[in-house]
Amino acid sequence: MDLIPIASYLINKFKCRYCDENIALTYPFLELMMGVMFFLTASLAGVEDIALLIFYLFITFVFVVLTFYDILFKEVPDEIVIPAFVIAVIFMSVAGVYNLSDLLIGIVVPILFFGTLFFVSKGRWLGGGDIRIGALMGALLAWPNVLIGLFLGYLFGAVYSLFGIVTKQLGRRSQIPFAPFLLIGTYITMFWGQKILDWYLHVL
């Protein structure tokens, strides 16, 4: 009864059954979020294309893990993001979701953008992990939708920072994990990017 998501946490009364140490609330919350996001992804992707559904579920798993990891440790692990990037490039190419030029431009743009910010600021404005997140964004969104993902990521990050400053939970020089906001922007763009782009062009 130790490996059932959420249920094991409740059955064992929030403690490890072997050492009797309290289990941090982070773990059941992670399990809950994984389940919720899997359900949402399956609902949005549908079951008509099983290969695409499996791919999106894999990406959802990666996004949730990277989000929690960056929040907890302020770090983006290469062991997760680089294989995810390679798999995304291969899948998007083989499945013909994007043409090769849009895919390459989508990857290069965020790498150049984040890379420039990183080197100009000498790592003060963002970490090297954000460059790799940018590459993953490009592989998943391609050009021009990657611009929407970047915009949403910065928008969510700005709103969070502003709220933190207003409530005095953050200072003007406080460092925040940026990957979660980029991943949220990417997730939204994966499923609603074209609608957002069409709406924007219609408004113009």
Side-chain angles (χ1 to χ4, degrees), residues 134-162:
L136 178 59
M137 292 176 68
L140 293 170
L141 304 178
W143 178 265
N145 282 2
V146 68
L147 297 180
I148 301 174
L150 289 171
F151 172 78
L152 292 177
Y154 269 90
L155 177 63
F156 295 141
V159 170
Y160 173 83
S161 298
L162 181 60

mmCIF file of all heavy atoms in Angstrom, residues 134-162:
data_model
loop_
_atom_site.group_PDB
_atom_site.id
_atom_site.type_symbol
_atom_site.label_atom_id
_atom_site.label_comp_id
_atom_site.label_asym_id
_atom_site.label_seq_id
_atom_site.Cartn_x
_atom_site.Cartn_y
_atom_site.Cartn_z
ATOM 1 N N GLY A 134 13.749 26.865 -23.539
ATOM 2 C CA GLY A 134 13.398 27.559 -24.773
ATOM 3 C C GLY A 134 13.500 26.659 -25.989
ATOM 4 O O GLY A 134 12.653 26.691 -26.884
ATOM 5 N N ALA A 135 14.554 25.835 -26.022
ATOM 6 C CA ALA A 135 14.714 24.887 -27.132
ATOM 7 C C ALA A 135 13.559 23.891 -27.163
ATOM 8 O O ALA A 135 13.022 23.566 -28.231
ATOM 9 C CB ALA A 135 16.051 24.160 -26.996
ATOM 10 N N LEU A 136 13.159 23.410 -25.994
ATOM 11 C CA LEU A 136 12.033 22.482 -25.908
ATOM 12 C C LEU A 136 10.745 23.162 -26.366
ATOM 13 O O LEU A 136 9.934 22.557 -27.085
ATOM 14 C CB LEU A 136 11.878 21.975 -24.470
ATOM 15 C CG LEU A 136 10.704 21.028 -24.192
ATOM 16 C CD1 LEU A 136 10.802 19.779 -25.060
ATOM 17 C CD2 LEU A 136 10.665 20.649 -22.709
ATOM 18 N N MET A 137 10.564 24.413 -25.978
ATOM 19 C CA MET A 137 9.396 25.173 -26.429
ATOM 20 C C MET A 137 9.354 25.241 -27.952
ATOM 21 O O MET A 137 8.309 25.033 -28.576
ATOM 22 C CB MET A 137 9.432 26.596 -25.859
ATOM 23 C CG MET A 137 9.241 26.692 -24.363
ATOM 24 S SD MET A 137 9.411 28.400 -23.768
ATOM 25 C CE MET A 137 7.951 29.163 -24.514
ATOM 26 N N GLY A 138 10.513 25.537 -28.555
ATOM 27 C CA GLY A 138 10.566 25.639 -30.010
ATOM 28 C C GLY A 138 10.239 24.338 -30.705
ATOM 29 O O GLY A 138 9.563 24.325 -31.740
ATOM 30 N N ALA A 139 10.703 23.223 -30.123
ATOM 31 C CA ALA A 139 10.430 21.912 -30.711
ATOM 32 C C ALA A 139 8.952 21.556 -30.631
ATOM 33 O O ALA A 139 8.420 20.864 -31.492
ATOM 34 C CB ALA A 139 11.265 20.840 -30.016
ATOM 35 N N LEU A 140 8.292 22.028 -29.596
ATOM 36 C CA LEU A 140 6.882 21.704 -29.396
ATOM 37 C C LEU A 140 5.942 22.653 -30.136
ATOM 38 O O LEU A 140 4.851 22.254 -30.543
ATOM 39 C CB LEU A 140 6.547 21.730 -27.898
ATOM 40 C CG LEU A 140 7.199 20.647 -27.045
ATOM 41 C CD1 LEU A 140 6.984 20.938 -25.567
ATOM 42 C CD2 LEU A 140 6.639 19.277 -27.410
ATOM 43 N N LEU A 141 6.363 23.909 -30.295
ATOM 44 C CA LEU A 141 5.460 24.921 -30.839
ATOM 45 C C LEU A 141 5.814 25.366 -32.249
ATOM 46 O O LEU A 141 4.937 25.787 -32.998
ATOM 47 C CB LEU A 141 5.441 26.149 -29.916
ATOM 48 C CG LEU A 141 5.063 25.888 -28.462
ATOM 49 C CD1 LEU A 141 5.139 27.184 -27.662
ATOM 50 C CD2 LEU A 141 3.670 25.282 -28.359
ATOM 51 N N ALA A 142 7.103 25.320 -32.598
ATOM 52 C CA ALA A 142 7.588 25.769 -33.911
ATOM 53 C C ALA A 142 7.286 27.253 -34.118
ATOM 54 O O ALA A 142 6.799 27.937 -33.231
ATOM 55 C CB ALA A 142 7.003 24.916 -35.032
ATOM 56 N N TRP A 143 7.617 27.725 -35.304
ATOM 57 C CA TRP A 143 7.391 29.123 -35.666
ATOM 58 C C TRP A 143 6.037 29.247 -36.382
ATOM 59 O O TRP A 143 5.703 28.398 -37.187
ATOM 60 C CB TRP A 143 8.507 29.595 -36.607
ATOM 61 C CG TRP A 143 8.347 30.996 -37.073
ATOM 62 C CD1 TRP A 143 7.761 31.435 -38.236
ATOM 63 C CD2 TRP A 143 8.778 32.170 -36.386
ATOM 64 N NE1 TRP A 143 7.790 32.786 -38.312
ATOM 65 C CE2 TRP A 143 8.407 33.275 -37.198
ATOM 66 C CE3 TRP A 143 9.430 32.404 -35.176
ATOM 67 C CZ2 TRP A 143 8.676 34.592 -36.815
ATOM 68 C CZ3 TRP A 143 9.704 33.700 -34.800
ATOM 69 C CH2 TRP A 143 9.327 34.777 -35.617
ATOM 70 N N PRO A 144 5.219 30.266 -36.048
ATOM 71 C CA PRO A 144 5.462 31.402 -35.148
ATOM 72 C C PRO A 144 4.882 31.215 -33.747
ATOM 73 O O PRO A 144 4.972 32.108 -32.923
ATOM 74 C CB PRO A 144 4.734 32.542 -35.879
ATOM 75 C CG PRO A 144 3.535 31.866 -36.480
ATOM 76 C CD PRO A 144 4.000 30.478 -36.877
ATOM 77 N N ASN A 145 4.260 30.041 -33.487
ATOM 78 C CA ASN A 145 3.575 29.855 -32.207
ATOM 79 C C ASN A 145 4.501 29.940 -30.998
ATOM 80 O O ASN A 145 4.049 30.210 -29.886
ATOM 81 C CB ASN A 145 2.830 28.514 -32.195
ATOM 82 C CG ASN A 145 1.521 28.583 -32.962
ATOM 83 O OD1 ASN A 145 1.180 29.614 -33.543
ATOM 84 N ND2 ASN A 145 0.793 27.488 -32.979
ATOM 85 N N VAL A 146 5.808 29.712 -31.221
ATOM 86 C CA VAL A 146 6.737 29.812 -30.105
ATOM 87 C C VAL A 146 6.733 31.224 -29.527
ATOM 88 O O VAL A 146 6.966 31.417 -28.331
ATOM 89 C CB VAL A 146 8.160 29.398 -30.541
ATOM 90 C CG1 VAL A 146 8.747 30.417 -31.516
ATOM 91 C CG2 VAL A 146 9.066 29.215 -29.339
ATOM 92 N N LEU A 147 6.441 32.220 -30.371
ATOM 93 C CA LEU A 147 6.358 33.600 -29.882
ATOM 94 C C LEU A 147 5.198 33.761 -28.900
ATOM 95 O O LEU A 147 5.308 34.504 -27.917
ATOM 96 C CB LEU A 147 6.190 34.573 -31.053
ATOM 97 C CG LEU A 147 7.343 34.640 -32.060
ATOM 98 C CD1 LEU A 147 7.013 35.643 -33.160
ATOM 99 C CD2 LEU A 147 8.650 35.021 -31.358
ATOM 100 N N ILE A 148 4.104 33.068 -29.167
ATOM 101 C CA ILE A 148 2.962 33.118 -28.257
ATOM 102 C C ILE A 148 3.334 32.484 -26.926
ATOM 103 O O ILE A 148 3.024 33.011 -25.852
ATOM 104 C CB ILE A 148 1.744 32.391 -28.864
ATOM 105 C CG1 ILE A 148 1.350 33.038 -30.186
ATOM 106 C CG2 ILE A 148 0.572 32.394 -27.895
ATOM 107 C CD1 ILE A 148 0.249 32.296 -30.928
ATOM 108 N N GLY A 149 4.011 31.329 -26.982
ATOM 109 C CA GLY A 149 4.440 30.661 -25.755
ATOM 110 C C GLY A 149 5.364 31.535 -24.930
ATOM 111 O O GLY A 149 5.245 31.616 -23.706
ATOM 112 N N LEU A 150 6.314 32.206 -25.596
ATOM 113 C CA LEU A 150 7.239 33.097 -24.896
ATOM 114 C C LEU A 150 6.497 34.276 -24.282
ATOM 115 O O LEU A 150 6.742 34.658 -23.125
ATOM 116 C CB LEU A 150 8.310 33.602 -25.862
ATOM 117 C CG LEU A 150 9.348 32.579 -26.328
ATOM 118 C CD1 LEU A 150 10.195 33.166 -27.451
ATOM 119 C CD2 LEU A 150 10.235 32.140 -25.163
ATOM 120 N N PHE A 151 5.578 34.849 -25.039
ATOM 121 C CA PHE A 151 4.812 35.992 -24.532
ATOM 122 C C PHE A 151 4.005 35.605 -23.304
ATOM 123 O O PHE A 151 4.006 36.316 -22.291
ATOM 124 C CB PHE A 151 3.877 36.526 -25.625
ATOM 125 C CG PHE A 151 2.919 37.569 -25.128
ATOM 126 C CD1 PHE A 151 3.345 38.877 -24.914
ATOM 127 C CD2 PHE A 151 1.596 37.243 -24.867
ATOM 128 C CE1 PHE A 151 2.462 39.841 -24.441
ATOM 129 C CE2 PHE A 151 0.704 38.191 -24.392
ATOM 130 C CZ PHE A 151 1.143 39.499 -24.183
ATOM 131 N N LEU A 152 3.307 34.478 -23.377
ATOM 132 C CA LEU A 152 2.495 34.029 -22.238
ATOM 133 C C LEU A 152 3.370 33.722 -21.030
ATOM 134 O O LEU A 152 3.011 34.053 -19.894
ATOM 135 C CB LEU A 152 1.680 32.800 -22.619
ATOM 136 C CG LEU A 152 0.556 33.018 -23.642
ATOM 137 C CD1 LEU A 152 -0.111 31.685 -23.986
ATOM 138 C CD2 LEU A 152 -0.472 34.004 -23.113
ATOM 139 N N GLY A 153 4.518 33.091 -21.273
ATOM 140 C CA GLY A 153 5.424 32.785 -20.169
ATOM 141 C C GLY A 153 5.875 34.039 -19.446
ATOM 142 O O GLY A 153 5.868 34.107 -18.205
ATOM 143 N N TYR A 154 6.274 35.055 -20.210
ATOM 144 C CA TYR A 154 6.701 36.316 -19.603
ATOM 145 C C TYR A 154 5.531 37.037 -18.947
ATOM 146 O O TYR A 154 5.693 37.675 -17.896
ATOM 147 C CB TYR A 154 7.357 37.215 -20.656
ATOM 148 C CG TYR A 154 8.845 37.013 -20.738
ATOM 149 C CD1 TYR A 154 9.386 36.054 -21.604
ATOM 150 C CD2 TYR A 154 9.723 37.731 -19.948
ATOM 151 C CE1 TYR A 154 10.754 35.842 -21.681
ATOM 152 C CE2 TYR A 154 11.089 37.520 -20.010
ATOM 153 C CZ TYR A 154 11.598 36.590 -20.885
ATOM 154 O OH TYR A 154 12.960 36.376 -20.929
ATOM 155 N N LEU A 155 4.355 36.942 -19.549
ATOM 156 C CA LEU A 155 3.173 37.580 -18.966
ATOM 157 C C LEU A 155 2.847 36.974 -17.604
ATOM 158 O O LEU A 155 2.643 37.707 -16.621
ATOM 159 C CB LEU A 155 1.984 37.426 -19.909
ATOM 160 C CG LEU A 155 0.644 37.979 -19.404
ATOM 161 C CD1 LEU A 155 0.729 39.494 -19.197
ATOM 162 C CD2 LEU A 155 -0.480 37.636 -20.379
ATOM 163 N N PHE A 156 2.801 35.651 -17.525
ATOM 164 C CA PHE A 156 2.505 34.984 -16.259
ATOM 165 C C PHE A 156 3.584 35.278 -15.218
ATOM 166 O O PHE A 156 3.289 35.499 -14.043
ATOM 167 C CB PHE A 156 2.370 33.477 -16.464
ATOM 168 C CG PHE A 156 1.211 33.089 -17.327
ATOM 169 C CD1 PHE A 156 1.326 32.052 -18.250
ATOM 170 C CD2 PHE A 156 0.004 33.756 -17.231
ATOM 171 C CE1 PHE A 156 0.257 31.696 -19.056
ATOM 172 C CE2 PHE A 156 -1.072 33.405 -18.037
ATOM 173 C CZ PHE A 156 -0.947 32.375 -18.949
ATOM 174 N N GLY A 157 4.838 35.277 -15.663
ATOM 175 C CA GLY A 157 5.929 35.583 -14.744
ATOM 176 C C GLY A 157 5.840 37.002 -14.218
ATOM 177 O O GLY A 157 6.086 37.259 -13.030
ATOM 178 N N ALA A 158 5.474 37.948 -15.092
ATOM 179 C CA ALA A 158 5.353 39.351 -14.677
ATOM 180 C C ALA A 158 4.205 39.540 -13.693
ATOM 181 O O ALA A 158 4.343 40.269 -12.701
ATOM 182 C CB ALA A 158 5.143 40.237 -15.909
ATOM 183 N N VAL A 159 3.077 38.887 -13.968
ATOM 184 C CA VAL A 159 1.925 38.991 -13.059
ATOM 185 C C VAL A 159 2.273 38.422 -11.696
ATOM 186 O O VAL A 159 1.953 39.022 -10.655
ATOM 187 C CB VAL A 159 0.702 38.254 -13.657
ATOM 188 C CG1 VAL A 159 -0.416 38.152 -12.624
ATOM 189 C CG2 VAL A 159 0.205 38.977 -14.900
ATOM 190 N N TYR A 160 2.944 37.275 -11.686
ATOM 191 C CA TYR A 160 3.350 36.658 -10.420
ATOM 192 C C TYR A 160 4.304 37.562 -9.652
ATOM 193 O O TYR A 160 4.156 37.768 -8.440
ATOM 194 C CB TYR A 160 4.006 35.307 -10.685
ATOM 195 C CG TYR A 160 4.610 34.661 -9.453
ATOM 196 C CD1 TYR A 160 3.821 33.927 -8.576
ATOM 197 C CD2 TYR A 160 5.974 34.781 -9.177
ATOM 198 C CE1 TYR A 160 4.374 33.339 -7.448
ATOM 199 C CE2 TYR A 160 6.528 34.201 -8.051
ATOM 200 C CZ TYR A 160 5.722 33.482 -7.192
ATOM 201 O OH TYR A 160 6.281 32.906 -6.070
ATOM 202 N N SER A 161 5.286 38.123 -10.351
ATOM 203 C CA SER A 161 6.275 38.986 -9.703
ATOM 204 C C SER A 161 5.616 40.247 -9.155
ATOM 205 O O SER A 161 5.919 40.679 -8.032
ATOM 206 C CB SER A 161 7.374 39.366 -10.692
ATOM 207 O OG SER A 161 8.063 38.220 -11.148
ATOM 208 N N LEU A 162 4.728 40.848 -9.947
ATOM 209 C CA LEU A 162 4.043 42.066 -9.511
ATOM 210 C C LEU A 162 3.199 41.796 -8.279
ATOM 211 O O LEU A 162 3.207 42.582 -7.322
ATOM 212 C CB LEU A 162 3.170 42.605 -10.644
ATOM 213 C CG LEU A 162 2.409 43.901 -10.361
ATOM 214 C CD1 LEU A 162 3.380 45.028 -10.026
ATOM 215 C CD2 LEU A 162 1.531 44.285 -11.548
#
